[in-house]
Amino acid sequence: MTTAISAATGLRVDNVTLSYTGEPVIDRLSLDIRPGEILVLTGPSGCGKSTVLRALAGLLRPQSGRILADGTPVTTTSRDRAVVFQDNALLPWRTVRGNIELALKLRGEPRTHRRALAERWIEEIGLSGFADYLPKSLSGGMRQRVQLARGLAGAPRAVMMDEPFGALDTQTRATMQRLLIDTWRTHPTTIVFVTHDVDEALLLGDRVAVLGKSGQRLRLLLDIPEPREPADRRALREQIVAAL
Ligand SMILES: Nc1ncnc2c1ncn2[C@@H]1O[C@H](COP(=O)(O)OP(=O)(O)OP(=O)(O)O)[C@@H](O)[C@H]1O
Ligand SMILES: [Mg+2]
């Protein structure tokens, strides 16, 4: 599924220790994320998945070690590295169109182009007819679509996604997974996707990384080969579950 794409960023977690209070949450983790891949990060609750994402986004500085984006140390947030969380609040006073237009504005798209580009995104996420709705008038699944579009509309070189579909019902979740893959194919970017759902990990990931309990280093880093035959998937699933 992966091709190296020049517009996508390679990320490197280099012997990184992360902590909030002095006690390490992540202890000397190393992980290379290839340009243009979907790297799924999974592991038990509280093992530090969100913490790693925050560090990749530049929201949390390592206590030691380095986070690199295309070889350059990450020290702050950047529009090149977008984040999509489970419900990271769309601006409530802006419409669907307004929220997407803002992402386009922030990446420097001239006003005259924004409207048409936003319309295209709205169509792509299947929300034609809802452009003038405020977030509060949308369903959870619809809001999540807008967040996905807003995250990707800024043409980031990498996107960090923290259980973005965790709160959705099974069917909406399946739709969103397909939408993510389709959108990622047409708007290539590196994706680091956190989920604790093994099937979601197998469906979306080019590779799946399993973090161990509290502060341990990587338990497992698995290539998910294409095509994904059911028998192979079963074997991969067992390996992931055994590592959790
Ligand atoms: N802001 C914070 N201040 C202090 N400790 C924190 C903070 N955020 C997270 N932690 C601690 O860091 C550890 C890892 O938390 P993190 O949220 O990264 O786990 P997670 O793998 O994302 O869990 P989950 O699957 O439940 O989302 C936990 O022990 C948590 O209590
Ligand atoms: Mg988390």
Side-chain angles (χ1 to χ4, degrees):
M1 204 191 272
T2 310
T3 42
I5 293 136
S6 60
T9 297
L11 296 164
R12 169 167 288 185
V13 179
D14 179 19
N15 205 24
V16 161
T17 297
L18 299 169
S19 114
Y20 296 96
T21 56
E23 192 68 17
V25 168
I26 291 292
D27 189 12
R28 288 164 291 162
L29 175 71
S30 290
L31 173 64
D32 269 331
I33 300 148
R34 301 169 185 154
E37 80 169 328
I38 301 184
L39 185 286
V40 172
L41 191 57
T42 189
S45 182
C47 71
K49 303 179 294 296
S50 299
T51 302
V52 171
L53 274 204
R54 270 181 223 130
L56 286 167
L59 293 163
L60 180 67
R61 295 282 289 272
Q63 205 173 39
S64 64
R66 296 178 310 167
I67 306 271
L68 301 169
D70 288 335
T72 305
V74 167
T75 53
T76 64
T77 56
S78 157
R79 279 200 293 282
D80 283 341
R81 283 172 282 107
V83 284
V84 178
F85 295 132
Q86 198 172 88
D87 206 355
N88 62 331
L90 294 164
L91 295 175
W93 59 88
R94 279 183 173 251
T95 61
V96 167
R97 182 192 288 113
N99 268 283
I100 297 173
E101 279 184 353
L102 181 63
L104 294 163
K105 180 179 177 182
L106 292 174
R107 83 162 193 215
E109 207 60 61
R111 182 190 288 272
T112 46
H113 291 183
R114 279 180 229 148
R115 169 66 63 119
L117 282 172
E119 291 299 335
R120 214 180 303 158
W121 273 105
I122 290 165
E123 206 181 303
E124 229 170 291
I125 57 172
L127 288 185
S128 302
F130 295 92
D132 294 317
Y133 279 53
L134 289 171
K136 66 167 193 246
S137 314
L138 301 173
S139 73
M142 289 161 129
R143 270 200 298 275
Q144 208 54 40
R145 285 168 193 238
V146 181
Q147 283 181 185
L148 190 65
R150 190 185 61 170
L152 294 170
R157 293 156 61 86
V159 187
M160 271 45 86
M161 298 189 161
D162 197 355
E163 308 207 38
F165 311 146
L168 304 177
D169 63 84
T170 315
Q171 211 170 340
T172 311
R173 188 170 189 156
T175 310
M176 288 303 297
Q177 290 164 342
R178 230 168 304 133
L179 180 65
L180 174 65
I181 290 179
D182 290 347
T183 322
W184 170 74
R185 290 218 168 102
T186 41
H187 305 271
T189 179
T190 308
I191 296 181
V192 186
F193 190 103
V194 165
T195 181
H196 56 250
D197 182 319
V198 178
D199 292 311
E200 185 166 69
L202 282 168
L203 178 76
L204 295 177
D206 289 307
R207 293 189 300 155
V208 175
V210 182
L211 274 176
K213 275 196 208 78
S214 56
Q216 290 175 11
R217 281 170 255 182
L218 273 196
R219 294 282 301 266
L220 182 69
L221 184 56
L222 260 189
D223 266 298
I224 312 296
E226 294 280 353
R228 297 173 190 198
E229 305 294 347
D232 300 343
R233 272 173 92 123
R234 264 196 304 279
L236 293 167
R237 194 177 199 291
E238 278 165 24
Q239 280 190 66
I240 295 172
V241 171
L244 282 172

